[in-house]
Amino acid sequence: AQTVTQSQPEMSVQEAETVTLSCTYDTSENNYYLFWYKQPPSRQMILVIRQEAYKQQNATENRFSVNFQKAAKSFSLKISDSQLGDTAMYFCAFMKYSGAGSYQLTFGKGTKLSVIP
Amino acid sequence: NAGVTQTPKFRVLKTGQSMTLLCAQDMNHEYMYWYRQDPGMGLRLIHYSVGEGTTAKGEVPDGYNVSRLKKQNFLLGLESAAPSQTSVYFCASSYSLGTSGVTGELFFGEGSRLTVL
């Protein structure tokens, strides 16, 4: 079974600054996806960024980027130029690519990020 | 742009009562999921379905039943509600990873808050 660990229950960052959220995972799979989802106070889960394990290049989506270290099983999220709208819970998630249990997301427990004006 | 719609959004039950949560998606997704979210626990998979007429157990299936009679609908039932089932329930859907161009992203509903007294 896969496990996803987010070691920072809460974090805060000043507006316009940069913050990094940590995520580690444990798996014996070689092919998989990793995701960061955002859950604002409105409660709906929104995809922030995704990474395929076979790709060495780190994914980037505007102000959001990841540092994917496959050997270390680490998948951190960097938010640059933080905005008040980034205040939310952030969940790291793992998905097997194939075989039994694939297509299912395994979530970490989340990191609550507060952006301070 | 309905996406994934859950009904009801809020419900209060007494111990032993039964109820059904309805999830509907209009994106023609093959896969559908029910997750529960509890404080400090992230999201945990209850049941999922990889196609019409098929269902499977997730991580925490006890006390719940599901049905997928139509491709667009996924029902979650509680036959005899217990206080331990007080939670926020999320439905999600996705394309099969075998579909060309699919990213593995899950699309979530807005959640249903259930309280069992």
Side-chain angles (χ1 to χ4, degrees):
Chain A
Q2 285 67 230
T3 59
V4 178
T5 302
Q6 294 179 248
S7 59
Q8 305 150 315
E10 292 192 41
M11 294 189 72
S12 62
V13 61
Q14 292 286 337
E15 195 175 5
E17 296 295 310
T18 296
V19 64
T20 298
L21 280 58
S22 301
C23 173
T24 59
Y25 58 95
D26 186 24
T27 185
S28 58
E29 302 290 327
N30 190 48
N31 294 322
Y32 49 88
Y33 293 89
L34 293 164
F35 303 85
W36 279 97
Y37 279 86
K38 169 185 177 180
Q39 187 181 37
S42 65
R43 211 167 63 190
Q44 188 159 19
M45 300 283 286
I46 303 166
L47 178 66
V48 175
I49 198 165
R50 64 186 288 275
Q51 175 83 40
E52 293 97 327
Y54 66 88
K55 290 186 177 179
Q56 293 184 341
Q57 185 173 7
N58 289 325
T60 300
E61 288 288 342
N62 300 314
R63 298 182 295 107
F64 299 88
S65 62
V66 299
N67 182 6
F68 174 48
Q69 302 290 329
K70 190 174 183 179
K73 297 180 182 177
S74 172
F75 184 60
S76 60
L77 173 69
K78 185 172 81 172
I79 305 174
S80 303
D81 186 24
S82 297
Q83 301 176 359
L84 296 178
D86 295 332
T87 293
M89 283 289 288
Y90 287 82
F91 293 95
C92 179
F94 172 99
M95 177 185 284
K96 283 178 58 175
Y97 183 77
S98 63
S102 58
Y103 316 130
Q104 301 166 37
L105 280 175
T106 299
F107 286 88
K109 294 183 178 182
T111 296
K112 184 178 181 181
L113 177 67
S114 298
V115 179
I116 303 168
Chain B
N1 291 342
V4 178
T5 303
Q6 295 180 226
T7 54
K9 290 185 170 47
F10 300 92
R11 184 74 187 269
V12 178
L13 289 177
K14 294 181 179 179
T15 297
Q17 287 185 317
S18 63
M19 74 156 296
T20 300
L21 294 174
L22 171 63
C23 177
Q25 53 96 2
D26 61 1
M27 296 172 281
N28 201 34
H29 286 165
E30 290 85 3
Y31 295 170
M32 296 188 75
Y33 314 81
W34 275 107
Y35 285 87
R36 63 176 286 174
Q37 183 178 26
D38 302 293
M41 297 294 293
L43 278 77
R44 293 180 292 170
L45 183 64
I46 305 171
H47 286 281
Y48 66 100
S49 168
V50 298
E52 182 178 319
T54 70
T55 63
K57 295 180 180 180
E59 181 185 357
V60 289
D62 293 343
Y64 305 94
N65 56 76
V66 289
S67 64
R68 182 105 180 262
L69 299 179
K70 295 182 178 181
K71 185 177 183 179
Q72 64 268 34
N73 295 337
F74 195 30
L75 278 63
L76 177 70
L78 285 71
E79 291 184 347
S80 180
S84 61
Q85 294 177 304
T86 293
S87 187
V88 180
Y89 292 85
F90 285 93
C91 178
S93 67
S94 70
Y95 289 110
S96 162
L97 285 175
T99 304
S100 175
V102 164
T103 65
E105 177 182 0
L106 266 62
F107 295 81
F108 286 84
E110 295 181 345
S112 298
R113 182 177 294 277
L114 174 65
T115 301
V116 183
L117 302 175

